[in-house]
Amino acid sequence: MQIRTLALAAAALFALTINSAIASADAAGPALTVEVDQLDSALTCTTDLHGVDRDPVLLTPAFATDQQSFGWNYLQSLPALGIPVCSLSLPNDGYSDLQVSAEYVVHAVRKMAAESNRKVVMMGHQHGPLNELWALEFWPDLPSLVSDFISLATPYNGTDSARNGCDKAKKFPPANWQIASGSNYLNALQARPLPDGPSYTSIYTKFDELIYPQPHASTLTGATNIAVQDICPLRPVEHFTILGDNVAYNIVLDALENDGPAVRSRISKDLCLTTLMPELVLSADSASSNFEYFTGVPRHFLEDSVAAEPELASYAK
């Protein structure tokens, strides 16, 4: 009875902390410019978060919808383990200004923490975690609401593929300018240390054909950085297949199941004999979703390209 009373008291204290942080959100960071109904409509959860006994995971995609990036993998595998999951599907498939995209993350974390009375795990692919990191760095109430930060194939130091494309084409979508090596956006992120509170794990592949040069591109200073090939040398995983790779999945689980970031030595080399993570949905629907993704890319480059990187928001200068 005493243990239960203490647990209830701890939950009530955390709920009070969350509500206090949300109530003072304007004082804690920039006011959100996106309408609340738009922020709400971008967030989808696999279960009601009230009363969950695990920290819910927020999945943030890049250049895709949440279903295209995660509908066939982590939106299946994590709920199968009893882990509550929510995902963001950003307007314009994430090609727009990443500073605005970060507002969706801010709102999602605050809402998920308030509903669950628990901290939130941030996770994403490619520049999805950049949106999450931007939210953590520029909205000071967020770090206390986040337990873990886990990324897959993320260009923390930019990618030369975007830099070369922007320099040659002279017109690229806003997000492409921002993830290019040497962008003002990335310089603003790197000017600040990682906020205290969350544990940080960056998972990447040395054979990434879009995010390079590796390991520099995906190395996050202050985080635990683990390449799939650190566990299994020469493992043929690239930028997209990392989303279904069993070794990457087990690094994710190690971070989720333990306090602190993932630890390389805890990942079994027996996994090198495996290929795909469990609970994958390789169906006609998932194939159709991926086809929509690849056919949509040219449209974004034709319709959404601009001649320069978006100006930094005043709060980031």
Side-chain angles (χ1 to χ4, degrees):
M1 179 67 73
Q2 185 177 10
I3 294 176
R4 176 176 173 78
T5 301
L6 290 173
L8 290 173
L13 179 60
F14 183 67
L16 181 63
T17 301
I18 290 172
N19 291 330
S20 176
I22 293 171
S24 61
D26 287 343
L32 303 184
T33 63
V34 181
E35 296 293 333
V36 172
D37 59 343
Q38 291 179 260
L39 298 172
D40 281 335
S41 64
L43 183 67
T44 304
C45 297
T46 59
T47 186
D48 185 353
L49 297 184
H50 293 90
V52 296
D53 58 3
R54 296 282 302 263
D55 289 354
V57 176
L58 173 65
L59 295 174
T60 305
F63 295 149
T65 67
D66 55 350
Q67 288 299 316
Q68 288 167 345
S69 284
F70 303 113
W72 54 282
N73 47 67
Y74 286 93
L75 279 171
Q76 304 296 326
S77 63
L78 296 184
L81 296 175
I83 300 174
V85 181
C86 298
S87 58
L88 280 172
S89 201
L90 298 169
N92 210 31
D93 294 339
Y95 281 85
S96 300
D97 186 348
L98 299 186
Q99 298 171 104
V100 178
S101 296
E103 296 188 18
Y104 288 82
V105 175
V106 174
H107 179 78
V109 170
R110 289 172 176 168
K111 184 174 182 177
M112 291 169 64
E115 291 184 1
S116 66
N117 280 341
R118 300 188 66 92
K119 293 188 177 184
V120 174
V121 176
M122 287 178 162
M123 181 177 163
H125 178 238
Q126 195 182 289
H127 69 255
L130 294 182
N131 296 330
E132 296 173 339
L133 187 57
W134 190 272
L136 281 173
E137 290 197 0
F138 292 104
W139 278 266
D141 64 305
L142 248 62
S144 65
L145 305 181
V146 175
S147 56
D148 278 283
F149 178 98
I150 305 168
S151 65
L152 296 165
T154 298
Y156 294 108
N157 297 299
T159 173
D160 286 356
S161 63
R163 178 80 278 150
N164 294 336
C166 291
D167 290 346
K168 291 178 181 178
K170 305 301 182 185
K171 290 189 70 175
F172 253 35
N176 291 80
W177 284 99
Q178 291 168 316
I179 67 172
S181 304
S183 72
N184 294 328
Y185 171 88
L186 291 173
N187 288 337
L189 268 181
Q190 293 163 357
R192 293 175 171 235
L194 292 182
D196 293 334
S199 299
Y200 297 88
T201 303
S202 173
I203 305 165
Y204 66 98
T205 172
K206 296 178 181 178
F207 302 138
D208 199 316
E209 76 280 19
L210 292 180
I211 308 302
Y212 60 82
Q214 293 290 359
H216 174 71
S218 293
T219 296
L220 177 60
T221 302
T224 292
N225 300 281
I226 305 177
V228 170
Q229 291 79 20
D230 290 338
I231 312 300
C232 306
L234 302 181
R235 188 171 178 86
V237 175
E238 50 80 66
H239 183 72
F240 296 103
T241 56
I242 197 171
L243 285 168
D245 181 70
N246 198 36
V247 173
Y249 170 70
N250 276 272
I251 301 172
V252 169
L253 288 187
D254 189 76
L256 291 175
E257 300 290 353
N258 296 281
D259 290 336
V263 175
R264 186 185 308 175
S265 61
R266 290 198 296 246
I267 312 301
S268 173
K269 290 189 177 296
D270 291 344
L271 293 167
C272 300
L273 301 176
T274 67
T275 53
L276 302 177
M277 61 189 281
E279 307 296 336
L280 282 186
V281 180
L282 302 177
S283 64
D285 286 343
S286 62
S288 175
S289 180
N290 286 327
F291 178 76
E292 290 177 5
Y293 162 75
F294 284 108
T295 56
V297 170
R299 175 178 60 81
H300 287 293
F301 278 85
L302 288 172
E303 298 178 2
D304 304 321
S305 289
V306 294
E309 177 183 351
E311 184 178 355
L312 283 178
S314 58
Y315 63 79
K317 291 181 179 178

